Amino acid sequence: GQNIDQPTEMTATEGAIVQINCTYQTSGFNGLFWYQQHAGEAPTFLSYNVLDGLEEKGRFSSFLSRSKGYSYLLLKELQMKDSASYLCAVRDGDYKLSFGAGTTVTVRA
Amino acid sequence: IAGITQAPTSQILAAGRRMTLRCTQDMRHNAMYWYRQDLGLGLRLIHYSNTAGTTGKGEVPDGYSVSRANTDDFPLTLASAVPSQTSVYFCASSPEGEGSNEQFFGPGTRLTVL
């Protein structure tokens, strides 16, 4: 099984940077995903890491260290629309996802 | 249809009743999944199907059943609903195999069991 931990809540100011950490313990690893979920909506895919290092996609970047069981999602130049929950998910050897409980990010003006 | 759809959007159900949540995708994805999402617990996998004709149990399968008669449809059935099955249910699909193959989620069904 998987044990995935991420902070429950974070608050930041518009235009700032926020880093959401995710640690995991896994019995098999086939990649780590970050999803964004606005209140009352479905999760949508943000990023995927399977090798160590940083993946950059516009204002969002995701980092992975497999040896440390650690990932982070970096949100730059925060906008009000970035207020949402961010879900860390690990894919196991059977290609099934296990999700963390999610981090609710609130962006303040 | 574009993507993945679920029905109904929401439902209030009396305990003991049978209920089927519908899920349909038009992306020809082989793999499909059912999750429930509860406050503080995140998304938990109920059942999955890697391809038409096959199904498997996830983390919380008790009280639920699924079928996969074809590629597009993956219904979830609660044979006799209980209040602890009150939740938001998400269906998802993904291409099979390696690579990012992210899961695409339906809009969800909000189920309340009284």
Side-chain angles (χ1 to χ4, degrees), chain B residues 1-24:
Chain B
I1 298 177
I4 185 165
T5 59
Q6 294 183 233
T9 301
S10 65
Q11 182 75 44
I12 298 174
L13 189 66
R17 297 297 295 270
R18 180 184 179 89
M19 175 74 191
T20 295
L21 309 184
R22 299 184 298 278
C23 175
T24 299

Side-chain angles (χ1 to χ4, degrees), chain A residues 2 8 30 33 35 37 39-48 85 87 91 94-102, chain B residues 33 35 37 40-45 48 50 57-59 90 97-108 110:
Chain A
Q2 321 283 6
T8 303
N30 261 307
F33 294 77
Y35 282 81
Q37 186 177 26
E41 298 183 6
T44 56
F45 170 76
L46 282 180
S47 69
Y48 167 73
S85 285
L87 314 179
R91 187 166 63 187
D94 293 327
Y95 289 89
K96 296 193 295 296
L97 286 182
S98 292
F99 285 82
Chain B
Y33 312 85
Y35 295 90
Q37 186 173 37
L41 294 177
L43 286 157
R44 291 181 293 168
L45 183 64
Y48 66 95
N50 287 331
K57 294 181 179 180
E59 180 185 354
F90 286 101
E98 298 183 7
S100 64
N101 288 332
E102 70 266 24
Q103 293 186 12
F104 295 82
F105 285 81
R110 183 173 296 275

Side-chain angles (χ1 to χ4, degrees), chain A residues 52-68:
Chain A
D52 290 352
L54 187 68
E55 294 283 340
E56 297 187 84
K57 189 184 293 186
R59 294 188 297 114
F60 294 179
S61 303
S62 57
F63 172 84
L64 175 67
S65 169
R66 289 172 295 171
S67 62
K68 295 182 179 179

Side-chain angles (χ1 to χ4, degrees), chain A residues 1-108:
Chain A
Q2 321 283 6
N3 185 21
I4 302 168
D5 291 316
Q6 52 182 127
T8 303
E9 295 180 332
M10 301 183 75
T11 301
T13 305
E14 196 173 16
I17 298 173
V18 69
Q19 178 175 315
I20 307 169
N21 296 323
C22 173
T23 59
Y24 63 90
Q25 294 174 318
T26 177
S27 58
F29 183 82
N30 261 307
L32 187 142
F33 294 77
W34 285 96
Y35 282 81
Q36 181 189 59
Q37 186 177 26
H38 286 100
E41 298 183 6
T44 56
F45 170 76
L46 282 180
S47 69
Y48 167 73
N49 295 70
V50 67
L51 300 176
D52 290 352
L54 187 68
E55 294 283 340
E56 297 187 84
K57 189 184 293 186
R59 294 188 297 114
F60 294 179
S61 303
S62 57
F63 172 84
L64 175 67
S65 169
R66 289 172 295 171
S67 62
K68 295 182 179 179
Y70 169 70
S71 173
Y72 68 73
L73 179 69
L74 194 69
L75 287 62
K76 295 177 282 188
E77 301 171 16
L78 279 173
Q79 302 176 10
M80 299 300 289
K81 67 179 181 180
D82 297 330
S83 291
S85 285
Y86 292 85
L87 314 179
C88 175
V90 174
R91 187 166 63 187
D92 65 18
D94 293 327
Y95 289 89
K96 296 193 295 296
L97 286 182
S98 292
F99 285 82
T103 300
T104 299
V105 172
T106 302
V107 181
R108 293 182 174 169

Side-chain angles (χ1 to χ4, degrees), chain B residues 6-85:
Chain B
Q6 294 183 233
T9 301
S10 65
Q11 182 75 44
I12 298 174
L13 189 66
R17 297 297 295 270
R18 180 184 179 89
M19 175 74 191
T20 295
L21 309 184
R22 299 184 298 278
C23 175
T24 299
Q25 53 102 0
D26 66 353
M27 298 176 283
R28 308 304 294 172
H29 287 167
N30 283 323
M32 296 187 75
Y33 312 85
W34 273 105
Y35 295 90
R36 59 177 290 172
Q37 186 173 37
D38 303 289
L39 194 64
L41 294 177
L43 286 157
R44 291 181 293 168
L45 183 64
I46 304 171
H47 285 286
Y48 66 95
S49 169
N50 287 331
T51 189
T54 69
T55 63
K57 294 181 179 180
E59 180 185 354
V60 289
D62 294 344
Y64 306 95
S65 64
V66 292
S67 62
R68 187 87 185 277
N70 57 61
T71 298
D72 298 346
D73 301 299
F74 191 44
L76 176 74
T77 297
L78 289 67
S80 179
V82 295
S84 62
Q85 292 177 311

